[in-house]
Amino acid sequence: MSTEVAAVEMLGVTKAFGDFLAVDAVDLQLHRGEVLAILGENGAGKSTLMNLLYGLYRPSSGTIIRNGEPIELDGPLAAIEQGIAMVHQHFMLVNALNVLENVAIGQSRRRIGLGLRQIRERLHELCERHGMPIDLDAPVSSLPVGVQQRVEIIKALYHGADVLILDEPTGVLTPQETQALIRVVREMAAAGTSVVFISHKLSEVMQVSDRIVIMRRGKLVGTTTPAQTTVQDLAEMMVGRSVQVNRTNDSGSDRIKLHRSPALNFYRVTAHEARGLPFGPVSCSVQPGEILGVAGVDGNGQSTLAELAVGIRDISGGEIYVNGNRMAGKGPLGFLNARVSCVPEDRHRVGSVAGFELWESVAMKNHFGSPYNEFGFMRRDRLLTLTEGLIMQFDIRTTGATAQAQSLSGGNLQKLIIARELDRAPRALVAMHPTRGLDVGAVEFVQSSIRSARDNGAGVLLISAELEELFSLSDRIIVMYQGKIAGELQSHEYNANRVGLLMSGIRPDGEPNSLRPSMAS
Amino acid sequence: MEIWSVVFWNGVATAAVRMSIPILLAGLGIVFSERSGVLNIGVEGQMLSGAFGAFAFAYFTGSFFLGAAFGALVGMIVSGITVYMCVRRPVNQIVVGVTVNILCLGLTSFINRIIFTPGATPPRVPRPPVFAIPGLDSIPIIGAAFFRQPVPVYVMLLAIPLAYLVLYRSSFGLDLRAAGEHPKAAETMGVKVATMRTRGVLISGAFAGLAGAFLSIVSLGRFVENISSGRGFIALAIVIFGRWNPVFIFGAALIFGTAEALQLRLQAVGVGVPHEFLLMMPYVLTIIVLALTSKRSLAPAALGRHYQRE
């Protein structure tokens, strides 16, 4: 293999943003027909490295060699001309156009007409060869996420790519779609395409790749193959210290006592259509001292569920009860006063205000009542004391209570939000993707905070896309599909395959009606 | 003249189509600009400048064609302000548009008074003659509407299929629309978003200038201050009503043309309604139509948002 000319070779490639080395003297080879996984935590430099190869950034120093020739990439167009294509995490597809038109974009400097007939023929051929059926005339917006991803791949192949970069391709897929993607990737590699597979999901990486490189803090820290390593070793190389993979759930259904009034109870709740998806009717309940996990492919109503549970969206039918009290028409403030806490999906834009100081961010849910408000004026001194206490207690790395919220790293900002929410001794806690984008250390901290909230008697509604997180934290899991609950699993039934089927709207056999009566009834 | 006579409605039909042309042209231009992602609020000002430029050039050269061409050119030049501010620089598109409109209203009135000193007889240019298509022009209503018009009307109606073909059947149109829907995706496919948007706005300016030229040298034969009197804004409204589609926009423009023609004719016939109320009709209609427009937006996804390359 070493005598063969590599499809792509990177020599001493460095990218600096100011003083910060996002990519630090990386040497990397990508062979023909190889699936190379790049593994690393968020911020390890994986995406920056690939954006260099894709021409979005230019290296500060170092050389990129393609088929033995040094190349300069001054933009994505140059990369496409070099046969290098990237499938982004957020698809680069125009929703309003159909599949054919999406592939036809970008020809205006070469021709007047669209040439849709030739494109159609060529796409048919590619779809057939790679076993990826796609309806070419369907508007992209009508296609499921898994199919949209295929469109991206087919688009890249159509443009003659033989180096394909997949950036976190499985983040939005069900386990079944993930398996289908892995098959497609293996087939493409067998046909001679080189694939770079960026991921932080260890099991997939073990399954799909020929070779694995691990990045940490902008540097390559190791190269291995699935045969030579284990998931545990990979995790340690990625983080740089030993970690516990897959902590088991110390689940105790015996711990949860059946209370007369659940912390949070949805009774046949419906809501107006949001993002093109009708919602409900949904019935479910969370007991005090219980974590109810919510699984589902993003965009199947989980956001609506969370927004309803904290009152920022109105129900159109049914009832929501917090601690047995009807919440209809009470609005967000009513939910706050009923001690419902919330860790929102978007910690930068919803959870905090970038330009606020930390004590102001902490004040955001405490500013209107005693003791932090007197005669309509905020008691800055008391809020500062509170904030400093939380900074200590939650180990938030910052310069102090008057630092700006935007100066915090993602993990520390999340800690601040969780500190604020838990300090209110919530009866119910709604957490949406609380660990998304955090590094392993912060993930551990956030998860243990959620556990301790539960142990203190809060009912927790945990929405997450990470099945492992749901399995290890939740006492029960419901799966959402197209705005409804597709099924419910008790902790002894946890199984990725089963959840995956429910996530894609298929009910596992032997369970004709998976809607069980909720624990409250 | 009797209101319920064929003669009356023939007259309304002829005027309706002629009145709809400036709104239609401005609307078609706006489609190009907005499909590329840029709100061209300055269309009113571009129209007004085009109207003045066309009249002045036609007056001094004596050539109708040079006048029309110069009108389009002036509209395009004025839209260059929008290109610089909204495409090259990230200035708020609405603020720029409003500013352009105010600037053009003042500037055209000012230059008009300098060049054509206000006097007893305002300067005029000859209006192009009506060309009736034999046989077809005698069909009631339809014939009057579409086959008994000055030559420029026929030419301008051809702009509808032309705009449609360019937008939906050419690779330029596809790239333009991609720039307005998902500029980043377009950029990854090798589309230069800023170039597309520049062209979209310039095309829009040229159309607006042509619309203005139609008002001054076809409809009226002279220039008066604020000759466009809000037609650019009406065009912005009919683009929304016509769902950014050239064919629907023609339909919408006809509705407004009819409203205008009707109020003129009703004034002439003398119904028992103060003429101020009749004059309001097209503008009231605009408000009603916008209120009725479906909430489900079909607007280009990136409309009005500046795109910054990484």
Side-chain angles (χ1 to χ4, degrees), chain A residues 323-400:
Chain A
N323 259 30
N325 300 319
R326 275 182 72 217
M327 298 306 290
K330 293 211 173 154
L333 190 59
F335 280 78
L336 265 179
N337 289 334
R339 302 229 310 272
V340 178
S341 276
C342 170
V343 178
E345 188 172 11
D346 187 337
R347 50 184 159 267
H348 297 286
R349 269 178 287 181
V350 181
S352 64
V353 176
F356 273 19
E357 295 177 0
L358 297 192
W359 71 271
E360 290 173 306
S361 303
V362 168
M364 277 163 69
K365 285 189 177 172
N366 296 315
H367 60 85
F368 42 78
S370 168
Y372 302 113
N373 188 316
E374 280 177 348
F375 313 112
F377 290 96
M378 280 198 288
R379 288 295 303 259
R380 185 171 187 266
D381 52 340
R382 290 180 189 166
L383 283 162
L384 280 172
T385 315
L386 169 69
T387 308
E388 273 151 17
L390 293 175
I391 289 172
M392 297 279 284
Q393 193 188 334
F394 284 81
D395 187 29
I396 297 164
R397 307 287 165 80
T398 174
T399 52

Side-chain angles (χ1 to χ4, degrees), chain B residues 169-252:
Chain B
R169 293 282 182 271
S170 80
S171 54
F172 168 73
L174 183 65
D175 288 2
L176 187 91
R177 285 184 291 145
E181 291 283 348
H182 194 335
K184 200 168 176 196
E187 195 87 37
T188 63
M189 298 288 279
V191 176
K192 297 213 161 140
V193 173
T195 309
M196 282 299 145
R197 290 185 166 185
T198 299
R199 289 179 192 169
V201 175
L202 290 179
I203 291 173
S204 180
F207 266 108
L210 213 50
F214 192 93
L215 281 176
S216 64
I217 62 180
V218 179
S219 291
L220 224 53
R222 63 195 191 88
F223 179 81
V224 291
E225 287 176 16
N226 193 18
I227 188 172
S228 52
S229 56
R231 284 181 182 82
F233 294 115
I234 291 180
L236 283 165
I238 68 155
V239 169
I240 298 171
F241 184 53
R243 300 173 166 198
W244 289 267
N245 177 317
V247 179
F248 296 159
I249 285 170
F250 178 51

Side-chain angles (χ1 to χ4, degrees), chain A residues 252-305:
Chain A
S253 10
D254 37 302
R255 180 171 33 71
I256 307 157
K257 298 195 192 80
L258 280 185
H259 292 250
R260 179 147 296 172
S261 33
L264 197 60
N265 190 6
F266 276 60
Y267 175 71
R268 302 194 53 77
V269 172
T270 55
H272 292 296
E273 194 175 286
R275 302 161 195 108
L277 184 75
F279 181 89
V282 162
S283 296
C284 64
S285 68
V286 191
Q287 299 296 325
E290 181 192 35
I291 298 178
L292 176 67
V294 182
V297 178
D298 271 0
N300 273 287
Q302 301 96 310
S303 309
T304 307
L305 182 73

Side-chain angles (χ1 to χ4, degrees), chain A residues 431-507:
Chain A
M432 278 208 81
H433 304 294
T435 60
R436 184 175 271 178
L438 301 186
D439 61 53
V440 172
V443 168
E444 279 177 17
F445 188 92
V446 167
Q447 292 183 342
S448 76
S449 300
I450 289 173
R451 279 202 190 87
S452 76
R454 173 194 63 188
D455 296 342
N456 290 331
V460 181
L461 188 68
L462 171 69
I463 294 162
S464 176
E466 303 283 338
L467 286 186
E468 285 173 13
E469 175 170 280
L470 286 173
F471 289 170
S472 81
L473 285 176
S474 319
D475 298 301
R476 271 186 305 143
I477 289 177
I478 56 174
V479 184
M480 294 208 66
Y481 176 71
Q482 303 220 320
K484 291 193 175 68
I485 296 177
E488 179 180 325
L489 291 92
Q490 307 298 324
S491 55
H492 62 88
E493 299 172 303
Y494 290 174
N495 163 317
N497 194 39
R498 195 176 177 128
V499 174
L501 288 173
L502 289 168
M503 279 162 80
S504 47
I506 303 162
R507 296 215 162 124

Side-chain angles (χ1 to χ4, degrees), chain B residues 25-43 46 79 82-83 86-87 93 163 167 172-173 175-181 193-208 236 239 244 249 300 302-305:
Chain B
L25 286 176
L28 290 179
I30 292 167
V31 174
F32 280 90
S33 164
E34 297 200 344
R35 282 286 191 183
S36 80
V38 185
L39 265 170
N40 187 5
I41 304 286
V43 73
Q46 293 150 15
S79 72
T82 307
V83 168
C86 303
V87 180
Q93 302 181 356
L167 276 169
F172 168 73
D175 288 2
L176 187 91
R177 285 184 291 145
E181 291 283 348
V193 173
T195 309
M196 282 299 145
R197 290 185 166 185
T198 299
R199 289 179 192 169
V201 175
L202 290 179
I203 291 173
S204 180
F207 266 108
L236 283 165
V239 169
W244 289 267
I249 285 170
L303 178 58
R305 266 187 274 142

Side-chain angles (χ1 to χ4, degrees), chain A residues 44-217:
Chain A
K46 298 170 299 197
S47 297
T48 310
L49 183 68
M50 287 306 111
N51 282 335
L52 289 168
L53 180 55
Y54 186 59
L56 272 180
Y57 299 144
R58 285 190 195 209
S60 311
S61 65
T63 325
I64 299 172
I65 295 163
R66 172 96 169 107
N67 294 330
E69 305 274 327
I71 52 169
E72 294 259 346
L73 298 169
D74 58 359
L77 191 59
I80 293 170
E81 278 161 9
Q82 287 286 345
I84 301 170
M86 181 153 172
V87 174
H88 298 259
Q89 228 170 330
H90 304 283
F91 299 146
M92 291 295 157
L93 294 171
V94 179
N95 279 329
L97 302 178
N98 68 28
V99 175
L100 273 178
E101 289 169 324
N102 262 286
V103 175
I105 294 170
Q107 304 179 88
S108 63
R109 268 180 292 175
R110 291 190 302 276
R111 58 185 299 166
I112 292 173
L114 285 169
L116 289 184
R117 197 180 303 155
Q118 292 107 291
I119 295 176
R120 184 189 295 277
E121 276 172 22
R122 179 94 180 96
L123 285 183
H124 261 307
E125 196 186 305
L126 284 167
C127 288
E128 225 154 83
R129 192 193 312 156
H130 294 279
M132 292 191 279
I134 298 173
D135 177 3
L136 299 180
D137 296 305
V140 164
S141 57
S142 74
L143 298 175
V145 176
V147 179
Q148 293 191 10
Q149 190 174 52
R150 285 187 208 156
V151 174
E152 283 279 55
I153 293 173
I154 282 290
K155 192 172 88 176
L157 295 176
Y158 174 84
H159 288 287
D162 63 349
V163 172
L164 191 61
I165 306 163
L166 305 177
D167 186 10
E168 301 277 2
T170 61
V172 290
L173 301 184
T174 64
Q176 281 76 12
E177 285 174 324
T178 301
Q179 289 308 315
L181 173 71
I182 288 174
R183 273 198 303 281
V184 167
V185 167
R186 292 306 325 171
E187 269 169 34
M188 286 193 300
T193 307
S194 310
V195 182
V196 180
F197 196 96
I198 303 175
S199 181
H200 64 268
K201 293 189 182 167
L202 305 172
S203 54
E204 286 163 20
V205 164
M206 291 291 280
Q207 225 186 328
V208 76
S209 53
D210 296 311
R211 211 153 53 90
I212 304 168
V213 298
I214 297 104
M215 285 191 77
R216 201 165 66 224
R217 293 185 186 171

